[in-house]
Amino acid sequence: MKYEIIFYRSGKTAGLQLTIDKILNDAGFEIKNACAAADQKELGSCISAALKRSKLIIAVGQLNESDQSTEKLVSKLLVPKGSTTEKPQLKPVSEKSMDSFYIKSKGQAVIILPDDDEIINRLAQPLKKLVAKEFSTEITSRNNPAMTEIGEQLEKKLSGSARIKVLPKGSNAEDTNRKKLSTLRLIMIILLSLGVLEITGAVLLYIFFR
């Protein structure tokens, strides 16, 4: 079964993706797409697109007490605009802590994880159990590899093509390129105008002082 990752204002996408992928692989899931969002609009766009493609979406970002905390934004975005329906209920991934959440609706689930590799590793077992239960998959038990083997696997994944490339969503990357092109056009227009003025001045000087 496929899943997608959405990173919201996260600066550790490569390491976190490998950690999450290792955990979910044990529960029968394989990553399909990865997206990075820098603001609320981009986050909404990423979630909207992911919900059309996949049943399981992982959202990774800062979880804190502010209104911009990732779980609060995701919960708000999952309510259609103008709808009188209550916000979808946030449930903890682990009953022992409130550092991760999930929202389930009509056969789909969005799991919100913190931008913290250590916490995600600690949530490995409850996370596997949650997705296995919700999507009727089986958890694969594997022997713990030696640290040298883990290092070799990590180096291989980081240097190879195994990791899904995280694509920036929409406005930030596109706007930057658009601004660069606009600036370049303006510079060219100014240079051309200066060239025309110099030629005109030279002609006038030639006419009046010959």
Side-chain angles (χ1 to χ4, degrees), residues 151-171:
E152 289 172 0
Q153 290 176 359
L154 181 60
E155 185 177 352
K156 185 178 179 181
K157 285 188 175 182
L158 286 172
S159 62
S161 59
R163 190 172 69 85
I164 296 289
K165 186 177 180 181
V166 180
L167 298 175
K169 183 64 183 178
S171 59

Side-chain angles (χ1 to χ4, degrees), residues 7 26 35-36 52 58 67-68 72 74 83 87 103 109 111 117 134 139 143 146-147 159-160 183 189 194 208:
F7 293 100
D26 289 349
C35 177
K52 294 174 183 177
I58 308 294
D67 292 336
Q68 295 301 306
K72 294 176 184 175
V74 171
S83 174
K87 290 182 182 179
I103 299 170
I111 298 176
D117 193 81
E134 294 297 336
I139 298 174
N143 295 325
M147 289 304 294
S159 62
T183 303
I189 290 169
L194 289 173
F208 286 105

Side-chain angles (χ1 to χ4, degrees), residues 11-187:
K12 300 176 283 187
T13 58
L16 291 172
Q17 181 180 312
L18 289 173
T19 299
I20 294 167
D21 200 39
K22 180 180 179 299
I23 293 170
L24 294 183
N25 276 345
D26 289 349
F29 283 83
E30 182 182 352
I31 189 167
K32 178 180 182 179
N33 190 55
C35 177
D39 55 41
Q40 189 173 342
K41 183 179 179 181
E42 290 182 2
L43 178 62
S45 181
C46 284
I47 290 176
S48 176
L51 288 171
K52 294 174 183 177
R53 296 187 295 251
S54 305
K55 289 188 176 182
L56 175 62
I57 295 97
I58 308 294
V60 181
Q62 291 292 323
L63 304 184
N64 49 50
E65 299 298 323
S66 74
D67 292 336
Q68 295 301 306
S69 186
T70 306
E71 85 281 7
K72 294 176 184 175
L73 291 177
V74 171
S75 178
K76 180 181 177 181
L77 288 167
L78 289 176
V79 178
K81 195 172 183 179
S83 174
T84 57
T85 308
E86 293 183 2
K87 290 182 182 179
Q89 186 179 2
L90 282 168
K91 298 179 181 179
V93 170
S94 173
E95 296 293 340
K96 295 180 181 180
S97 59
M98 297 296 288
D99 49 16
S100 57
F101 305 90
Y102 75 99
I103 299 170
K104 182 180 68 172
S105 177
K106 297 180 181 179
Q108 290 182 295
V110 179
I111 298 176
I112 302 113
L113 299 175
D115 189 19
D116 189 310
D117 193 81
E118 184 178 339
I119 295 176
I120 293 175
N121 272 306
R122 193 169 69 239
L123 290 166
Q125 290 307 315
L127 190 54
K128 290 178 190 177
K129 290 179 181 178
L130 172 64
V131 296
K133 178 183 177 183
E134 294 297 336
F135 297 97
S136 302
T137 61
E138 293 185 3
I139 298 174
T140 304
S141 59
R142 62 171 74 180
N143 295 325
N144 292 328
M147 289 304 294
T148 53
E149 184 181 345
I150 292 174
E152 289 172 0
Q153 290 176 359
L154 181 60
E155 185 177 352
K156 185 178 179 181
K157 285 188 175 182
L158 286 172
S159 62
S161 59
R163 190 172 69 85
I164 296 289
K165 186 177 180 181
V166 180
L167 298 175
K169 183 64 183 178
S171 59
N172 283 349
E174 292 173 2
D175 285 351
T176 300
N177 291 333
R178 199 177 295 117
K179 287 175 182 177
K180 287 180 179 178
L181 287 172
S182 297
T183 303
L184 183 59
R185 289 194 192 99
L186 181 60
I187 292 171

